[in-house]
Amino acid sequence: MMKPTACRQMTESGFWAGVLVVLCTLSVGADVHQALKMPSMPSRVLQRHKRAWKWDKLYVNEEMPPKNPPEKIGKLDNTFFDASARYILSGEGANNIFTVNDNGDIMVNAKLDREKKSVYNLSASLIHNTNKKQLDEDETFIIVVMDINDNSPVFPPDISGSISESSKAGSIVMTVTATDADDRSTQNGMIGYKLLNGTDLFTINNEGKIRTLTSSLNREKQSQYLIAIQAKDMPDVSNTGNSATTIVTININDVNDNMATFKKGEYQFDIKEDSKPGYEIGKLEVEDKDEIQNKDPSFTIQHKFDEVFGIKLNNVKDGILSLKVPLDYETEKVHKFSVNVLEHSVSKSPDNQGPNLQTRAQVFINVIDVDEPPVFNQTEYEFSKDEGPFNNPIIGAVSAKDPDKNGYKIRYSIEDSNCPVAVDPVQGHLSLKKQLDREDKSSYAFWVIAQEDVPNGLKSSAQVNLKVRDINDNAPELTNGSSVYVCESDKPGTIIGTVGASDKDENSGRFRFTLAKKSLNFSLYDKGDNTASIILKQGGLSTKHSVEHVLEIEITDGEQKSINPLQIKVCTCQTGRRVEYCMAYAQTGMSVSALLAILLCIVTILVIVILIVLRKRYQKEVLVTKSSGEIHEQLVRYDEEGGGEMDTNGYDVSVLSSACHDSSFRPGTGPSLYAVVKKPSACKGDMAMMIDVKKDEADHDRDGIPYDTLHIYGYEGSESLAGSVSSLDSSSSGSNLDYDFLHEWGPRFRTLAQLYGVDGSDSDSSD
């Protein structure tokens, strides 16, 4: 039997109150059972010999409404307690939820909820009523709220799980977890689970794990299951406890367990013979019950036809039949072959077995005839030809034919006008139009056009590459000549520099060097490696003597040779032939091109000067040779407002000015220059006679301008008292107006004063 002391020690060690109640009831006896379990009776106080306080844990049931008088749940006991002392509670719920009376009885005054607070920690004090002196040390104790089954299990929202189809029986699908706010250490908080449907496919244990009962789950038949699950507390007690129900969604995941098959056993397509490789002919539709990610068919085409046609997958994993090589209607009009479909990763399934699976299909390709352009026998031609003069201009030939049944003749052409090659329009022979120069251009690429020899005939083209072969047609040239110089301190036998040679030809070969003319001061040594050394024969050369040293070096490459002048400078050098100063020689010659340019500039300047002089002379002659008739016409046509002194730019008033001072322009015995027409005698019909005279003059005057209208009338008429209205026939001297004031207006009116004023000479003559 368990001792009461052992029961108390287990309680203090942290076990839940409900478990302690059961254990202590079984081991101690009925008296302890009544003390722990009955809330209306005070708990048994266990005496401690080491302390003055005698008490233990206190227990109270939750959800018990308060009573009047309050319900006693325990008692405080201390060896120092007497009539002059009293107990005081402090801590959680003290003097509110829990109170103590003068006898040490602990009362509960409110309804408690274990789910909100399950344990209250309090402290008891013993003080003297009079002096309030503490009689013993404070002692802590706890009040445990006993649980009752007042809460139901709760499921989380939207519970779902999944499992692959055809999984083995016993496979875990998911785990369902419900919660209960009651004490889990008691039956009130323990939860058991139960399936309300789908028990032929799934099962669930008390831990909430759902497992499969069969391996025949098939997504293609049913892809989702809705399973009702019940969670109940106090699972070991039937017909008692709280429960809750929820719906769990179980999704069946797809696996590749279905074979892809053709939807039909025969496919027919039409394709034009001029279709290019890569052209998509048509679609071979396949059927697969699996989802798209598990649809993985592979296609195989009958042997030999797989070299002409190919199959690739589209987005929905159907087969796309495409063209690999061009087709020819004249060669084969119909292509018939078989195509197989297979899936290697398909798992074994009853649906994949049986003779009704359509895994092979027949394909018929009908080739449609089209008018095709000519076809060259090669897609690209390569030719080569030597540069330079040629005896035979032919470099090769191209050939094309019409693949159609009509078989039209072919004509050839080259559209590039800059191409150095011509093509025979009938035979296709290629020949040179001009001489080739490899150093100018080493290769040519051009297109030859082949066209059907009918109106609007189709045409095609082929590229021709012409390589120009090199011949030895360029003379060697001297190189490194600028590095040859003589130092004043050089001794005879000194190598003063090394020269080389270059050739524009592709394979120059070996160059040989010799002196075209012997030199007293220098010699040349051919080193045999396409270079030559220049050696000083006599020393003592100085920069003070302006003598130009030129070597003429002859270079040959076996077929071509050249003579190259090499100017050798004389320099003042430091140690190690480091140049300090070199004598420069000025060239006095001038090239022919420079002379021609200078002469052209001189001729151009002379032509410009001559043109300017002729223009000036012409303008002067025009001014001198102006006739009075022209002056007359100028005055008549002048119908704008006068511009003042600036008017002299438009009209030459100097003539008028000279006419003012010239006696020949004044009225006198001689005929007036402006009144060219003689006045007829005043008689009846004078106007008609004057018009006839004017008309006759106009008809016989070869130098006059043939005016259609008569602008000037020099005669007013015999019957008019005013006489002539023309101011040209009179002078300023005959006018009643005095224009001498114009001289006082300044230089801007000088010209006007000369025209209308009277100078001193005129006044003297009048006297």
Side-chain angles (χ1 to χ4, degrees):
M1 296 295 292
M2 182 178 292
K3 301 295 183 181
T5 303
C7 181
R8 184 178 69 251
Q9 292 175 351
M10 291 178 64
T11 304
E12 293 176 351
S13 64
F15 278 83
W16 292 98
V19 178
L20 291 174
V21 169
V22 176
L23 293 177
C24 291
T25 302
L26 295 176
S27 60
V28 178
D31 53 344
V32 178
H33 171 72
Q34 293 296 328
L36 292 177
K37 196 168 183 180
M38 297 303 294
S40 61
M41 297 179 63
S43 61
R44 181 176 179 179
V45 179
L46 302 178
Q47 182 177 1
R48 294 182 177 180
H49 300 286
K50 295 182 179 180
R51 298 291 303 277
W53 290 95
K54 295 182 292 183
W55 63 278
D56 203 348
K57 287 183 180 179
L58 303 180
Y59 299 90
V60 59
N61 287 329
E62 66 170 332
E63 303 296 338
M64 296 295 294
K67 298 179 180 179
N68 191 13
E71 180 181 3
K72 175 182 177 182
I73 60 173
K75 183 178 180 61
L76 299 177
D77 190 7
N78 191 287
T79 55
F80 298 114
F81 179 76
D82 55 17
S84 62
R86 66 185 180 92
Y87 295 102
I88 297 177
L89 287 180
S90 61
E92 297 176 342
N95 303 317
N96 182 13
I97 300 176
F98 305 103
T99 58
V100 60
N101 58 16
D102 295 339
N103 296 324
D105 296 330
I106 298 176
M107 308 294 182
V108 58
N109 301 303
K111 184 170 65 172
L112 304 180
D113 187 355
R114 192 203 68 84
E115 285 71 40
K116 293 182 178 180
K117 191 171 183 62
S118 60
V119 177
Y120 291 87
N121 296 296
L122 294 97
S123 177
S125 302
L126 183 64
I127 62 173
H128 195 274
N129 288 330
T130 304
N131 56 19
K132 308 299 182 182
K133 183 178 180 181
Q134 189 170 349
L135 301 178
D136 196 359
E137 294 180 357
D138 294 346
E139 182 70 10
T140 60
F141 64 96
I142 61 174
I143 298 178
V144 178
V145 181
M146 302 289 291
D147 181 48
I148 64 173
N149 192 9
D150 59 343
N151 290 280
S152 299
V154 177
F155 284 101
D158 301 330
I159 305 175
S160 63
S162 62
I163 189 172
S164 298
E165 61 177 328
S166 303
S167 297
K168 296 180 179 180
S171 300
I172 296 179
V173 180
M174 58 183 298
T175 299
V176 177
T177 302
T179 58
D180 195 325
D182 293 328
D183 189 0
R184 287 190 176 184
S185 62
T186 66
Q187 287 286 325
N188 298 335
M190 297 180 182
I191 299 176
Y193 299 94
K194 178 182 178 182
L195 296 182
L196 302 181
N197 67 323
T199 55
D200 57 333
L201 300 175
F202 306 99
T203 182
I204 189 171
N205 59 13
N206 284 336
E207 296 178 356
K209 292 183 178 181
I210 301 177
R211 299 176 182 268
T212 58
L213 292 176
T214 179
S215 61
S216 61
L217 294 177
N218 191 340
R219 188 202 65 85
E220 287 72 36
K221 293 182 178 179
Q222 186 170 351
S223 61
Q224 189 180 80
Y225 294 90
L226 300 178
I227 304 299
I229 300 178
Q230 182 188 66
K232 175 181 174 300
D233 56 15
M234 303 185 71
D236 297 334
V237 181
S238 60
N239 300 327
T240 303
N242 302 317
S243 64
T245 304
T246 189
I247 301 297
V248 175
T249 301
I250 299 178
N251 297 308
I252 309 302
N253 297 331
D254 182 52
V255 297
N256 191 3
D257 59 346
N258 289 278
M259 179 71 72
T261 58
F262 288 108
K263 287 187 176 181
K264 55 184 180 179
E266 185 176 298
Y267 295 88
Q268 290 190 1
F269 303 102
D270 295 333
I271 181 174
K272 294 181 179 180
E273 64 172 330
D274 61 348
S275 299
K276 303 297 181 182
Y279 175 78
E280 294 183 357
I281 301 174
K283 180 169 62 175
L284 304 177
E285 295 182 345
V286 296
E287 184 178 10
D288 192 336
K289 296 180 181 179
D290 295 326
E291 293 180 346
I292 186 65
Q293 68 272 13
N294 294 318
K295 188 177 179 181
D296 188 24
S298 61
F299 299 88
T300 56
I301 301 177
Q302 184 178 342
H303 183 58
K304 292 186 178 180
F305 290 95
D306 56 355
E307 299 176 357
V308 182
F309 305 98
I311 299 179
K312 58 184 179 180
L313 299 180
N314 61 5
N315 295 333
V316 295
K317 304 298 179 66
D318 288 329
I320 302 299
L321 185 64
S322 60
L323 186 64
K324 285 186 176 181
V325 296
L327 302 178
D328 187 9
Y329 173 83
E330 288 71 25
T331 303
E332 190 169 0
K333 299 178 177 61
V334 178
H335 297 267
K336 178 182 177 182
F337 55 91
S338 62
V339 178
N340 295 328
V341 62
L342 182 65
E343 280 191 271
H344 299 285
S345 59
V346 175
S347 60
K348 293 182 179 180
S349 173
D351 296 336
N352 296 329
Q353 301 176 3
N356 296 327
L357 294 178
Q358 189 73 40
T359 60
R360 173 176 291 187
Q362 293 293 325
V363 178
F364 296 88
I365 305 295
N366 299 316
V367 183
I368 301 175
D369 185 28
V370 296
D371 189 7
E372 298 177 275
V375 178
F376 283 91
N377 58 356
Q378 297 182 33
T379 58
E380 188 172 350
Y381 293 86
E382 301 285 343
F383 299 106
S384 61
K385 187 68 174 177
D386 289 338
E387 64 174 330
F390 51 82
N391 296 324
N392 181 15
I394 301 298
I395 64 173
V398 296
S399 177
K401 66 176 182 178
D402 185 6
D404 298 321
K405 293 184 297 183
N406 298 326
Y408 294 122
K409 294 182 179 180
I410 305 299
R411 292 190 66 84
Y412 304 93
S413 63
I414 297 177
E415 296 181 350
D416 186 3
S417 59
N418 297 323
C419 180
V421 179
V423 62
D424 185 286
V426 178
Q427 301 297 329
H429 294 158
L430 300 175
S431 60
L432 293 177
K433 295 191 299 183
K434 63 179 182 178
Q435 181 175 310
L436 302 178
D437 186 359
R438 191 201 66 83
E439 288 70 38
D440 181 31
K441 193 171 185 180
S442 61
S443 63
Y444 295 88
F446 54 92
W447 294 86
V448 176
I449 308 299
Q451 186 173 10
E452 296 173 345
D453 193 10
V454 292
N456 300 323
L458 299 179
K459 58 184 178 180
S460 61
S461 60
Q463 183 174 349
V464 178
N465 298 317
L466 174 60
K467 181 180 180 182
V468 182
R469 293 194 298 262
D470 182 49
I471 63 174
N472 191 358
D473 59 345
N474 289 279
E477 297 178 357
L478 186 69
T479 60
N480 300 329
S482 60
S483 62
V484 180
Y485 60 91
V486 180
C487 291
E488 292 178 323
S489 59
D490 284 344
K491 304 297 182 182
T494 302
I495 297 176
I496 62 173
T498 301
V499 295
S502 64
D503 194 335
K504 294 181 180 179
D505 294 325
E506 187 173 9
N507 298 313
S508 302
R510 183 181 181 279
F511 298 111
R512 290 177 174 83
F513 301 84
T514 58
L515 288 178
K517 293 182 181 180
K518 293 184 179 181
S519 174
L520 297 176
N521 297 319
F522 307 97
S523 63
L524 181 143
Y525 173 70
D526 190 346
K527 300 171 65 175
D529 58 354
N530 291 338
T531 61
S533 299
I534 308 299
I535 304 172
L536 180 64
K537 294 170 63 177
Q538 296 181 9
L541 299 181
S542 174
T543 57
K544 297 179 181 180
H545 303 288
S546 57
V547 179
E548 185 176 7
H549 303 280
V550 178
L551 286 180
E552 292 186 357
I553 302 176
E554 180 181 297
I555 308 174
T556 178
D557 60 3
E559 296 181 9
Q560 302 287 337
K561 70 177 181 177
S562 64
I563 297 177
N564 301 266
L566 173 63
Q567 185 179 12
I568 301 177
K569 300 174 289 185
V570 180
C571 303
T572 301
C573 304
Q574 298 178 1
T575 306
R577 301 190 82 246
R578 289 181 298 170
V579 176
E580 182 178 353
Y581 165 75
C582 292
M583 183 66 181
Y585 301 98
Q587 294 183 356
T588 58
M590 182 176 295
S591 63
V592 177
S593 60
L595 287 174
L596 291 177
I598 294 173
L599 290 176
L600 182 60
C601 292
I602 293 174
V603 172
T604 303
I605 294 173
L606 289 176
V607 171
I608 293 174
V609 171
I610 292 172
L611 291 176
I612 293 174
V613 171
L614 291 176
R615 184 176 183 276
K616 291 291 184 181
R617 180 176 296 178
Y618 174 76
Q619 292 177 348
K620 186 175 181 181
E621 291 177 354
V622 169
L623 292 175
V624 173
T625 58
K626 281 188 176 179
S627 64
S628 61
E630 293 174 346
I631 297 172
H632 182 72
E633 289 302 321
Q634 286 183 349
L635 293 176
V636 171
R637 293 191 178 191
Y638 186 85
D639 56 357
E640 299 177 358
E641 184 177 353
E645 190 176 39
M646 301 303 294
D647 235 0
T648 57
N649 296 331
Y651 299 93
D652 190 4
V653 297
S654 62
V655 179
L656 295 177
S657 178
S658 62
C660 181
H661 298 285
D662 191 354
S663 60
S664 62
F665 288 90
R666 296 176 182 272
T669 58
S672 174
L673 179 63
Y674 296 98
V676 180
V677 183
K678 295 181 179 180
K679 297 181 181 179
S681 59
C683 61
K684 186 177 181 180
D686 287 344
M687 179 59 70
M689 184 182 298
M690 183 193 69
I691 293 175
D692 290 337
V693 173
K694 287 288 186 180
K695 179 175 178 298
D696 184 66
E697 290 179 355
D699 292 339
H700 295 85
D701 186 4
R702 296 182 179 180
D703 298 328
I705 301 176
Y707 293 106
D708 293 336
T709 58
L710 191 59
H711 294 281
I712 305 168
Y713 294 93
Y715 181 70
E716 181 67 20
S718 60
E719 301 297 330
S720 175
L721 299 176
S724 176
V725 297
S726 175
S727 61
L728 297 177
D729 203 20
S730 62
S731 64
S732 59
S733 61
S735 176
N736 295 329
L737 297 176
D738 186 9
Y739 294 98
D740 292 338
F741 64 91
L742 295 175
H743 295 283
E744 300 175 359
W745 285 9
R748 298 184 61 184
F749 295 86
R750 183 178 301 164
T751 304
L752 188 61
Q754 292 175 357
L755 292 175
Y756 293 94
V758 179
D759 55 11
S761 61
D762 293 338
S763 60
D764 294 339
S765 62
S766 62
D767 292 339

